[in-house]
Amino acid sequence: MKELIIKHLNTLKKTPKTLLLTYIIIYFAWGMGMNRFGAEMEIARFTYWWQVITCYIFYMVPISILLREYRFFEQYAYGLVAMGILEFLGYWLQTSYAYPDNSLDKIFNPQNFSLGMALFFALYFPAGNWLVSKVHTIIFLQKNE
């Protein structure tokens, strides 16, 4: 277990700074946008705006980096575990707020809300890795050719 943790920490440490910066900018913008969308549509939101930093940058970016070499469905499966934990803790600790009788509750019922959110947000890992890879290549790697 110790070796696995060291391996993952080394992977994060060896991530090129330009790639890490690309992840941070994209995930921060994505998180702010989704938090705003969730609030405007009265589905769900963070209790405090700065939770975008803790969730998207400090939690999701490192997981995305660790998963980026995996295939789509592996990223999704591992991402589902990560997001399931995050969604559970967010609503349990009341750091996330689900609007009562929101549109997703009406479609799927309130008992399935967190599960639906985890299933949706697990797509962030393969989608985010794809987007970051494309943007990073366009901005940083094509200049070096």
Side-chain angles (χ1 to χ4, degrees):
M1 181 68 162
K2 181 180 174 184
E3 293 82 21
L4 183 62
I5 292 170
I6 291 170
K7 178 185 171 198
H8 289 322
L9 289 174
N10 282 332
T11 299
L12 294 172
K13 192 168 110 178
K14 291 178 184 175
T15 302
K17 294 194 183 342
T18 57
L19 183 60
L20 184 59
L21 180 63
T22 307
Y23 270 104
I24 290 170
I25 291 169
I26 287 175
Y27 276 55
F28 180 73
W30 204 353
M32 291 298 286
M34 288 304 290
N35 192 47
R36 180 66 179 212
F37 176 79
E40 290 293 323
M41 298 302 294
E42 294 188 350
I43 297 170
R45 63 173 168 75
F46 289 121
T47 302
Y48 304 101
W49 76 267
W50 52 262
Q51 289 173 264
V52 169
I53 296 168
T54 58
C55 288
Y56 281 77
I57 296 174
F58 295 147
Y59 186 77
M60 293 173 67
V61 166
I63 292 170
S64 291
I65 291 169
L66 293 175
L67 296 178
R68 70 188 172 129
E69 299 302 321
Y70 290 96
R71 294 179 306 207
F72 176 90
F73 288 110
E74 291 170 319
Q75 289 184 49
Y76 181 77
Y78 286 120
L80 184 55
V81 172
M83 294 313 292
I85 293 167
L86 189 66
E87 290 293 324
F88 176 78
L89 289 174
Y91 294 112
W92 181 49
L93 297 172
Q94 298 179 348
T95 57
S96 294
Y97 175 77
Y99 289 88
D101 201 32
N102 66 62
S103 58
L104 295 180
D105 281 352
K106 291 175 184 173
I107 296 169
F108 301 114
N109 79 43
Q111 291 78 15
N112 291 322
F113 181 79
S114 291
L115 175 59
M117 295 291 275
L119 288 167
F120 172 77
F121 285 110
L123 286 169
Y124 269 44
F125 297 103
N129 281 328
W130 177 85
L131 179 62
V132 167
S133 174
K134 294 297 180 194
V135 170
H136 184 259
T137 298
I138 291 168
I139 294 173
F140 295 103
L141 299 182
Q142 286 186 350
K143 289 181 181 179
N144 297 332
E145 292 179 358

